Amino acid sequence: MATELKKIRLSTSPTDEALAALQIGDIVYLDGVVYTAREGVYKRVIEDGVDLPLDLPMASAANFHCSPAATQHDDGSFILGAVTATASFRFSKWIGAWLAASGAKLIIGKGGMNPEDYRDHFVPHGAIYLTTVGYGTGALLGRGVKAVCELHWRRELGLAQAMWVIEVKNFGPFIVESDRHGNSLFERENAKIAANIEAAYNGTKPAVLKRFGETDDRQDELI
Amino acid sequence: MITIERLQATAEELMRRAAIEIPEDYLTGLKTAAAAEDSDLSSFVLEAMLENYDAAKEDGRAMCGDTGCPRWYVKMGNEARVDGGPVALEAALRRATAKATSTVPLRPNRVHPLWRTDYDNNVGIGAPEIEYGFEPGGDWIDLTTVHKGGLFGTDYRMLFPSDGIQGIKRFFLDSLVAFGKRGLACQPAIIGIGLGGSKDACMVLGKRAACLRVVGDRNPDPKIAELEDEMKVLGNSIGMGAMGFVGKSMVIDCNIEIGFCHTGGMQMSVHAFCLSSRRAVARIYGDGRVEYRTNPEWFTDYQRRETVEWPQS
C-alpha cells in the first residue's frame, strides 16, 4: 500500500532549522559526507585519548554505526558493496562523550538508543537519531555511496571497526527515530503494541521452572 | 571422484549467491506479508526490503551490509568420494570463504572473542562452522552455505513435560516479543523451533529448522505440521511487525524439528533467520556436474529416522 510518510532530503551537516523540522517517523535521505564510528573508534578516542584523524564536525556531522561489506585492494582502492547499521544500544556508555568530542548532529544506526540517552545526551547536544530500515537495506544504501574518501585506523582496528569516510548522495532510506525533544518512535510503537500484547498470551502459561531474573512484565525491554 | 577444484569453485559461487540473491520461497512469503500489511510504517519497511532485493541482484552487491557468519552444511551421499578426502574438502571450504569475503565483498565479521583479532576473511578458530550429514546411496555432495546473522533472535529454555503445548507457546511468544522490539531480530523471518534432544542438540535442531527448511515446507508428522501452522498464526497475532513497529507480520513461516530427549525434559530453542535469509545450495556429482538450488532438502526421511536399522524393515 502507498504510505503517507513524509520524505526529506537532508544534508549531513544539517542546519538547526532543518533538524528542528524533523519529526519521528519521517523518512530521510542524506547528501554529503558520512563517517563510520562504533566501539573501536569510541574506545580509541574517548578511553585511549587518541586525537581524531579528521576535523569533526567540519568534515561531517553524521556518524554511522556501521561496518561496511568492503575490501581494500593492495593498490589502496576500495570495493564497497553493501552497507547496513549495527545495533546502537551497545554504544550507550560512550555516546555522551562522543557527541561532545565529535559535534555529531546525526547518529545513524540500528534500533535507536535508550530514552535516557536521548534526554541526557542527544537533546543537550542538539542531535537526533536516524534508524536504518529493515533491517537492512544494504544494497540500497550501497547505491547511495558515491566514493570512499578516506579510511582511518584500518591497521589498528581492522576493516570492520575502522573509520570509513564516505561521500553519499540520496543515501537512504532512514527513519527519524528521535527528534530534537528526545521523543522516540520505537518507544511510541512499543507502547501501542504493549496495549494489546496480553491477548496473544491467552491460552499459554508460565514455565514450571523459573529463570533467574525473570519478569512477567512484557512491557519491560530486555536490552 | 569429486575434484577439489570443482568443489572450491562451486563453494565460491555459493558464497556469492547466498549474499546477493534472496531465495524465491522467502521472497514469495515476504510479498504475501507485504500485501497483507496495513500499517504505514511496517508497509514502508517491507516495500523498502523488496526494493532492496532487486537492487542487490541488479548491482551484484550483498543484500545486507551485515553479511552474517558464513557456515557450511555438507551432506554426502554414501558413494561420494572426494579427491584428497575430508581434510582437502575442509581446506577448500575455508579457502572459498576467505576468497569470497574479498571478492563479493562480504563484511569480515569473524573475530577472536577475547582479543578481537580479525583476519578480514571470515576464517579463524572454528570459523566457518562445517557440519556434516550423510544420505544412503548417491555419489554426490550437497553443499549448503548459510550466512546467518549472529546476535539477536535466538534463545533456549529447558521446559518439562508438564509445561506442555501451552508452555511451548509461551516461550515462543516471549522470544519473539523480546527480540522483536526495535526489530533486533530483523523480522519478519523464518522462525525455527527445536524441541527435545539435549541442550546442544536442541540448539542445532532449531537453527537447522530456521536455516535449512524453506517457507511452505511442513514437518511430516501431521500433528507437528499443525503446530507449525498454529505457531505462525500466533506469532503474527502479537500486533508487532517489521522493526518492532505496529504490524501484522513477525513470522513468514515456522518450522519445527524434534529429537528424542531425556524422559524428564522437553528442551526448546527458538531461532529467527532474518530479512536476508541467506542460503544457497549445490549438488556436485561424481562426474563433475553441478546443480544449483535454494532448498537444502536437509531433513529427509533418513535424517529423521527413528528405527535402529536402515532401511526400515
Side-chain angles (χ1 to χ4, degrees), chain A residues 10-26 28 61 99 103-107 115-130 175-185:
Chain A
L10 185 71
S11 162
T12 55
S13 297
T15 61
D16 273 353
E17 295 72 41
L19 285 171
L22 296 176
Q23 293 185 310
I24 57 174
D26 288 348
V28 170
L99 289 172
K105 296 294 177 196
L106 303 172
I107 298 291
E116 296 75 30
D117 290 325
Y118 295 140
R119 185 192 63 207
D120 298 342
H121 305 304
F122 280 68
V123 172
H125 287 103
I128 66 124
Y129 186 101
L130 299 176
I175 305 177
V176 177
E177 136 68 2
S178 82
D179 62 15
R180 284 280 278 247
H181 308 290
N183 298 308
S184 156
L185 179 66

Side-chain angles (χ1 to χ4, degrees), chain B residues 76-200:
Chain B
M76 302 180 75
N78 199 39
E79 313 309 322
R81 297 291 177 271
V82 180
D83 188 17
V87 169
L89 179 145
E90 294 203 323
L93 296 182
R94 288 170 79 90
R95 280 197 296 270
T97 303
K99 197 169 165 197
T101 297
S102 62
T103 54
V104 174
L106 306 178
R107 190 206 271 182
N109 267 337
R110 293 281 197 156
V111 302
H112 189 289
L114 290 171
W115 325 131
R116 317 309 289 180
T117 316
D118 190 341
Y119 298 124
D120 286 340
N121 63 6
N122 281 313
V123 175
I125 300 174
E129 294 87 351
I130 305 176
E131 298 181 35
Y132 297 92
F134 304 96
E135 203 71 24
D139 69 339
W140 45 259
I141 289 184
D142 273 357
L143 268 189
T144 299
T145 188
V146 168
H147 302 177
K148 192 178 176 305
L151 301 182
F152 309 107
T154 297
D155 206 355
Y156 166 84
R157 184 155 194 161
M158 176 60 93
L159 298 176
F160 297 93
S162 66
D163 283 311
I165 299 291
Q166 289 183 316
I168 289 173
K169 287 183 176 170
R170 174 78 142 214
F171 183 53
F172 175 72
L173 286 172
D174 280 349
S175 303
L176 295 186
V177 169
F179 292 115
K181 286 185 180 176
R182 298 168 187 256
L184 291 183
C186 299
Q187 73 266 17
I190 303 173
I191 308 293
I193 296 177
L195 289 174
S198 52
K199 184 170 190 174
D200 58 339

Side-chain angles (χ1 to χ4, degrees), chain B residues 6 9-11 13-14 17 280-283 290-294:
Chain B
R6 178 55 52 96
T10 307
E13 172 61 13
L14 288 173
R17 288 185 186 216
V281 191
R283 177 164 291 190
V290 178
E291 288 167 3
Y292 289 95
R293 59 182 205 261
T294 54

Side-chain angles (χ1 to χ4, degrees), chain B residues 135-283:
Chain B
E135 203 71 24
D139 69 339
W140 45 259
I141 289 184
D142 273 357
L143 268 189
T144 299
T145 188
V146 168
H147 302 177
K148 192 178 176 305
L151 301 182
F152 309 107
T154 297
D155 206 355
Y156 166 84
R157 184 155 194 161
M158 176 60 93
L159 298 176
F160 297 93
S162 66
D163 283 311
I165 299 291
Q166 289 183 316
I168 289 173
K169 287 183 176 170
R170 174 78 142 214
F171 183 53
F172 175 72
L173 286 172
D174 280 349
S175 303
L176 295 186
V177 169
F179 292 115
K181 286 185 180 176
R182 298 168 187 256
L184 291 183
C186 299
Q187 73 266 17
I190 303 173
I191 308 293
I193 296 177
L195 289 174
S198 52
K199 184 170 190 174
D200 58 339
C202 181
M203 293 299 283
V204 168
L205 280 171
K207 187 157 197 157
R208 290 179 176 179
C211 299
L212 299 181
R213 283 180 52 195
V214 300
V215 175
D217 185 27
R218 279 294 165 263
N219 191 292
D221 181 326
K223 282 189 188 155
I224 295 178
E226 204 178 302
L227 187 59
E228 290 175 333
D229 286 336
E230 238 180 282
M231 297 295 245
K232 178 181 173 184
V233 171
L234 180 63
N236 289 334
S237 75
I238 296 170
M240 190 187 281
M243 291 181 73
F245 295 144
V246 170
K248 290 182 169 173
S249 225
M250 280 294 286
V251 183
I252 294 298
D253 211 346
C254 178
N255 295 329
I256 301 175
E257 285 300 322
I258 63 108
F260 276 31
C261 60
H262 187 287
T263 185
M266 189 174 65
Q267 298 84 348
M268 175 166 173
S269 71
V270 179
H271 295 252
F273 209 173
C274 64
L275 275 159
S276 303
S277 307
R278 291 168 291 241
R279 65 169 130 77
V281 191
R283 177 164 291 190

